[in-house]
Amino acid sequence: MSHPSSPHHPINTQDHSEKTQDSPKCPHAHGNQAHNSHPHGQAHPHAQHSHLAGSQAKTLEDGTPALRLIAWEVTRSCNLACKHCRAEAHREPYPGEFDTAEAKALIDTFKQVGNPIIIFTGGEPMLRPDIYELISYANNQGLRCVMAPNGTLITPETAQKMKAAGVQRCSISIDGPDAQSHDEFRGEKGAFEQALRGISYLKEAGIEFQINSTVTKNNLANFKDIFHLADKLGAVAWHIFLLVPMGRAAGLADQVITPTEYESVLNWFYDFRKQTKMHLKATCAPHYYRIMRQRAKEEDVEVNAENFGMDAFTRGCLGGTGFCFISHTGQVQPCGYLELDCGNVRKTPFPEIWRNSKHFKEFRTPADYKGKCGVCGYHRVCGGCRARAYSMSGDHLAAEPLCTYVPPRHKL
């Protein structure tokens, strides 16, 4: 499955400045994701364009955070069986998927809680027969539409259909620098070449694309090579996703990097971003935004749009604060990795779920967080990965298990 994470990837949803002894004086807000074969809204194209982020209200009239990004699993059907994805190689529609009229009625509700970017994801969204009709419908309402196909089904004809419907960006997952490494992760021989071919058709149609890559122990050493491939292909952005061991990915627990490796990867990412003009984003890696501010403070660099682009106004975990995931059956979740039932749009109007879900309200209340995440001075720019906390501790409000930082206020 995929997610043009905010084509994850960031949109400014909240300006929460927290000037504490352990957080430098800089604007703290939020942002997020798109991802290909990442259940979150995961997989996730971002709205990296400042004019898009700046034009949106930060809160609704009742004080609820405005919704900035929706990852919508329009179908769970897929032609691949990627190791880290909950979708399966099942081409027929799953029971409970919305028909066209239901899907359009849901789209009609989105603008009641913001002006969100819609990530049309799956599964493989291209397997849904009316996908272009739905994208066109949302596009005609002024909603920015992005798509997260796995790339293997894109043809010159379907690329032109995407363009005509109003797809503004696609995210394509590349998890290895060559066919052998990528195909092994994707579970299908030829997936690498098919994805590259799909990218070439997107380019011919004039649709911008980003590359999403999931970090595992197996490909960690090759990450620079994956970036160079993305650069050579002409990607407008490269998003790295830190593996969340949920669903089928639970079987990849041995591929989750250690907290020390995690910290090292994010510090490398901070340094590497200085070497390219391509937009780089770390997704499902909320403490990057803590590291970014720590490093900037050490280097006496101000965290602002000029130096860090939209990352200066981006929050790490956006679940429930500016982002949500809607499943193929209408279940609303903080993200695709975190299967907390926040309500179903077939029973409760989507705007009501966004405003009043118990879990969303928890994620909007720093005092509800436990352990060191509850007292951390970087809470409002990080938040910790709630899905990772849940998968590794059983508590979605527990401390982020892969973070090495210990806030001065935390009592061991």
Side-chain angles (χ1 to χ4, degrees):
M1 108 184 242
S2 311
H3 293 265
S5 149
S6 316
H8 152 160
H9 23 98
I11 304 169
N12 185 9
T13 61
Q14 301 159 280
D15 285 328
H16 294 305
S17 183
E18 184 173 55
K19 300 172 183 178
T20 66
Q21 60 182 343
D22 55 326
S23 83
K25 296 181 180 180
C26 41
H28 298 169
H30 113 98
N32 193 49
Q33 80 195 299
H35 80 221
N36 190 346
S37 294
H38 301 288
H40 294 11
Q42 138 229 21
H44 347 20
H46 279 291
Q48 304 297 5
H49 307 294
S50 58
H51 70 281
L52 286 172
S55 66
Q56 298 188 356
K58 297 176 179 63
T59 59
L60 305 177
E61 68 283 353
D62 63 355
T64 300
L67 179 60
R68 299 309 177 94
L69 187 68
I70 299 172
W72 183 13
E73 184 187 55
V74 292
T75 180
R76 194 158 180 178
S77 301
C78 193
N79 61 315
L80 298 182
C82 305
K83 291 184 176 180
H84 63 315
C85 180
R86 62 187 202 159
E88 299 179 11
H90 181 292
R91 285 179 171 265
E92 298 303 314
Y94 276 72
E97 292 186 4
F98 283 29
D99 63 26
T100 303
E102 283 183 299
K104 287 183 176 179
L106 178 58
I107 291 171
D108 288 338
T109 68
F110 291 161
K111 295 196 76 169
Q112 296 177 33
V113 286
N115 188 32
I117 293 170
I118 312 302
I119 302 168
F120 289 85
T121 184
E124 170 49 66
M126 293 182 66
L127 287 178
R128 185 173 171 118
D130 62 355
I131 186 63
Y132 307 111
E133 182 179 352
L134 297 183
I135 292 171
S136 180
Y137 187 79
N139 185 60
N140 288 338
Q141 294 195 23
L143 296 168
R144 176 176 167 88
C145 300
V146 299
M147 195 175 183
N150 58 45
T152 63
L153 301 181
I154 300 174
T155 65
E157 294 73 27
T158 55
Q160 290 297 333
K161 287 182 179 180
M162 289 181 197
K163 182 70 173 179
V167 173
Q168 296 190 38
R169 183 183 293 190
C170 282
S171 65
I172 304 293
S173 285
I174 299 292
D175 298 301
D178 51 41
Q180 180 178 353
S181 55
H182 177 84
D183 291 358
E184 198 275 332
F185 194 73
R186 292 281 142 182
E188 180 170 309
K189 186 174 179 60
F192 182 77
E193 292 302 327
Q194 292 169 25
L196 295 190
R197 185 168 61 244
I199 286 172
S200 71
Y201 297 145
L202 291 176
K203 293 166 70 173
E204 289 175 7
I207 299 174
E208 68 180 27
F209 68 95
Q210 70 183 50
I211 297 297
N212 294 341
S213 303
T214 298
V215 182
T216 67
K217 284 185 177 293
N218 280 347
N219 67 9
L220 188 57
N222 298 322
F223 248 62
K224 196 168 185 177
D225 294 330
I226 299 174
F227 164 78
H228 288 310
L229 173 61
D231 191 33
K232 180 180 178 181
L233 291 171
V236 296
W238 182 44
H239 292 196
I240 66 168
F241 287 78
L242 277 294
L243 185 66
V244 179
M246 298 289 286
R248 183 187 300 142
L252 293 178
D254 62 334
Q255 286 297 309
V256 176
I257 61 177
T258 67
T260 301
E261 289 172 323
Y262 202 126
E263 195 87 358
S264 178
V265 167
L266 295 182
N267 273 282
W268 169 81
F269 198 69
Y270 175 88
D271 290 324
F272 192 66
R273 54 171 290 281
K274 302 174 187 177
Q275 303 175 28
T276 176
K277 293 182 179 180
M278 185 190 299
H279 182 268
L280 306 185
K281 180 170 176 57
T283 300
C284 301
H287 32 299
Y288 173 73
Y289 298 96
R290 180 257 305 168
I291 290 172
M292 183 183 80
R293 284 165 173 79
Q294 289 176 316
R295 295 289 305 277
K297 185 177 182 180
E298 291 171 1
E299 298 169 0
D300 197 25
V301 174
E302 185 176 355
V303 178
N304 56 26
E306 181 180 358
N307 294 327
F308 292 94
M310 288 306 298
D311 280 350
F313 309 102
T314 294
R315 186 176 191 265
C317 180
L318 298 176
T321 65
F323 169 82
C324 72
F325 174 89
I326 303 175
S327 81
H328 67 291
T329 60
Q331 178 175 306
V332 180
Q333 303 171 190
C335 76
Y337 289 123
L338 182 50
E339 295 187 10
L340 289 180
D341 187 353
C342 298
N344 192 294
V345 299
R346 282 181 162 135
K347 298 178 180 179
T348 306
F350 175 71
E352 185 177 331
I353 293 173
W354 177 252
R355 293 175 188 272
N356 299 320
S357 162
K358 171 190 173 182
H359 294 311
F360 288 170
K361 286 187 172 183
E362 289 174 337
F363 290 171
R364 298 165 188 166
T365 308
D368 285 350
Y369 289 66
K370 301 173 184 178
K372 63 183 182 180
C373 283
V375 298
C376 183
Y378 292 99
H379 176 90
R380 292 196 183 276
V381 298
C382 173
C385 176
R386 298 298 95 215
R388 193 175 294 115
Y390 183 73
S391 71
M392 299 177 76
S393 73
D395 186 347
H396 61 279
L397 293 172
E400 156 70 66
L402 295 187
C403 180
T404 62
Y405 179 69
V406 179
R409 288 181 285 169
H410 180 53
K411 296 179 182 180
L412 299 175

